[in-house]
Amino acid sequence: MKHFPDPQPVTERLSRALRDLSAVERWAAHTGTGGPDGAVVDEGWQGPRFGVATESCDGMHEVVGITWSAPAGGGPCGEPAETDRVVLHSSVRALLDLAEHESGPAHTVVVLTARGPRVLSCRLGGTTVTVTGAGTD
């Protein structure tokens, strides 16, 4: 039987990783071109959402599945293109590295926005952390 780490340290590590990743996403958005007056246009969380299932062993993260879900009011997204798959793999692996996740399953929801990938949430063991907060399932 697999042993999952205590929820509190997982929650703290994953929350910190999501904050760090969000800071990088905000920085990247500000380095791009802005709107007509030079202001950065925040496109929010618009775009196809993908659930990325991973299995980690000794800090190596293997993507074992990718599922899509249409944004509210949108149609099916279909399979991601190969370039999108690479972006999804890289984003999720980076998050798991930042969270110091060493072993066990994880499920991460990533939105592919016009400005790049944005991590919406991640579940490690029985703990789910979103960009807005943390909770235990």
Side-chain angles (χ1 to χ4, degrees), residues 14 16 18 20 28-29 32 36-37 43 49-50 70-72 81 96 103 105 115 121 123 136:
L14 193 51
R16 184 187 72 238
L18 276 172
D20 291 349
D37 61 355
E43 298 179 11
R49 290 183 184 193
F50 293 92
L96 296 175
S103 64
R115 290 200 175 270
S121 66
R123 170 192 266 163
T136 301

Side-chain angles (χ1 to χ4, degrees), residues 4-95:
F4 294 103
D6 292 333
Q8 189 62 33
V10 169
T11 301
E12 290 173 11
R13 288 193 317 265
L14 193 51
S15 293
R16 184 187 72 238
L18 276 172
R19 280 192 311 272
D20 291 349
L21 193 57
S22 292
V24 169
E25 290 168 346
R26 284 192 306 274
W27 172 81
H30 289 286
T31 61
T33 58
D37 61 355
V40 173
V41 179
D42 183 12
E43 298 179 11
W45 298 92
Q46 297 177 6
R49 290 183 184 193
F50 293 92
V52 181
T54 54
E55 185 67 40
S56 300
C57 182
D58 295 326
M60 300 301 292
H61 316 296
E62 179 183 354
V63 174
V64 294
I66 297 176
T67 57
W68 60 266
S69 62
C77 302
E79 286 291 315
E82 184 60 30
T83 54
D84 291 339
R85 291 178 73 78
V86 170
V87 168
L88 291 167
H89 285 221
S90 297
S91 298
V92 170
R93 287 177 176 147
L95 173 66

